[in-house]
Amino acid sequence: GAGVSQSPSNKVTEKGKDVELRCDPISGHTALYWYRQSLGQGLEFLIYFQGNSAPDKSGLPSDRFSAERTGGSVSTLTIQRTQQEDSAVYLCASSYGLGIIGYTFGSGTRLTVV
Amino acid sequence: QQQVKQSPQSLIVQKGGISIINCAYENTAFDYFPWYQQFPGKGPALLIAIRPDVSEKKEGRFTISFNKSAKQFSLHIMDSQPGDSATYFCAASSMIKAAGNKLTFGGGTRVLVKP
């Protein structure tokens, strides 16, 4: 596609429910990143995937968070047993690969946990 | 640990004025410093970036100044326009493969340009 596509754009869920957020990176991009942007805050790194290498999960805040990337393309970020503090905008970005300057962000999924 | 500190949190400037945003970093391994512009409801978009081998980079009305010894860098928006009203983020990363090109972001600056 022309850009990084994320779905849904908005998600409201009840505390304790599981949610899945989807990211479609730019075709041909081998690296994919997830960031979290809390209200009025900067972006916080969560996880990245590069090709067939093991993902770097060092930014995931708890074991309730997980992500997978199927076929080197689409990625899904899963949050289990959501808490109110999980409310944020979840942003996905992709790039051609490591060491490449600059990458492209999607518009994000705004998650609200009530 | 906040590795990139950004100031001010918000800024109001008259049309035609200069907007200045400052960032300071701690990790000396950082060697790539981009600035992102974000409009409401959109993801951040790369605006301009600098490597530490130069002290200044200019692209149109946007200039990055970099001070390696002080571990500081700044964004100057010359002749600010209402369309520049957005949130600006500085960021930093290490370009070595092991670092994975993960970006560490500052807290953001909301810029409002008044007509």
Side-chain angles (χ1 to χ4, degrees):
Chain A
V4 177
S5 178
Q6 291 188 246
S7 60
S9 56
N10 283 284
K11 176 72 175 179
V12 180
T13 190
E14 293 180 351
K15 178 180 174 181
K17 299 282 189 182
D18 297 351
V19 294
E20 288 189 348
L21 312 179
R22 176 186 169 103
C23 173
D24 278 277
I26 292 174
S27 178
H29 279 192
T30 59
L32 186 147
Y33 305 79
W34 284 97
Y35 286 81
R36 178 170 70 175
Q37 184 174 23
S38 301
L39 184 63
Q41 301 295 313
L43 283 73
E44 171 192 16
F45 167 79
L46 296 177
I47 186 171
Y48 90 86
F49 300 85
Q50 167 58 24
N52 295 321
S53 302
D56 179 340
K57 306 178 182 180
S58 61
L60 295 179
S62 77
D63 58 8
R64 296 187 294 105
F65 288 72
S66 63
E68 64 177 18
R69 188 179 185 191
T70 54
S73 180
V74 172
S75 177
T76 301
L77 177 68
T78 301
I79 309 173
Q80 296 178 311
R81 304 181 303 282
T82 52
Q83 303 296 312
Q84 288 187 329
E85 60 262 29
D86 299 334
S87 296
V89 175
Y90 290 83
L91 290 158
C92 175
S94 69
S95 73
Y96 281 112
L98 296 181
I100 300 299
I101 294 176
Y103 37 67
T104 303
F105 281 92
S107 294
T109 294
R110 181 176 296 277
L111 176 66
T112 303
V113 182
V114 297
Chain B
Q1 179 187 10
Q2 185 182 5
Q3 295 192 53
V4 179
K5 294 183 179 181
Q6 183 172 346
S7 64
Q9 288 186 314
S10 62
L11 179 62
I12 300 174
V13 62
Q14 291 296 128
K15 178 182 176 182
I18 302 173
S19 302
I20 302 175
I21 306 170
N22 300 299
C23 285
Y25 63 98
E26 300 170 4
N27 188 343
T28 55
F30 288 151
D31 58 1
Y32 171 62
F33 303 91
W35 285 88
Y36 283 81
Q37 179 187 56
Q38 185 178 32
F39 293 105
K42 301 294 184 182
L46 179 64
L47 189 62
I48 185 173
I50 197 168
R51 299 293 305 273
D53 52 344
V54 296
S55 61
E56 185 175 283
K57 182 174 181 180
K58 183 176 180 180
E59 290 186 1
R61 297 184 293 108
F62 301 91
T63 300
I64 299 178
S65 297
F66 185 80
N67 186 328
K68 187 175 181 178
S69 61
K71 293 187 289 185
Q72 295 176 346
F73 58 110
S74 61
L75 176 70
H76 293 225
I77 307 174
M78 314 300 287
D79 186 26
S80 297
Q81 300 296 312
D84 297 332
S85 297
T87 300
Y88 293 82
F89 293 95
C90 63
S93 73
S94 172
M95 296 298 289
I96 62 171
K97 185 175 181 179
N101 205 18
K102 294 177 289 188
L103 289 171
T104 299
F105 283 85
T109 298
R110 183 172 292 185
V111 174
L112 175 63
V113 181
K114 288 192 169 183

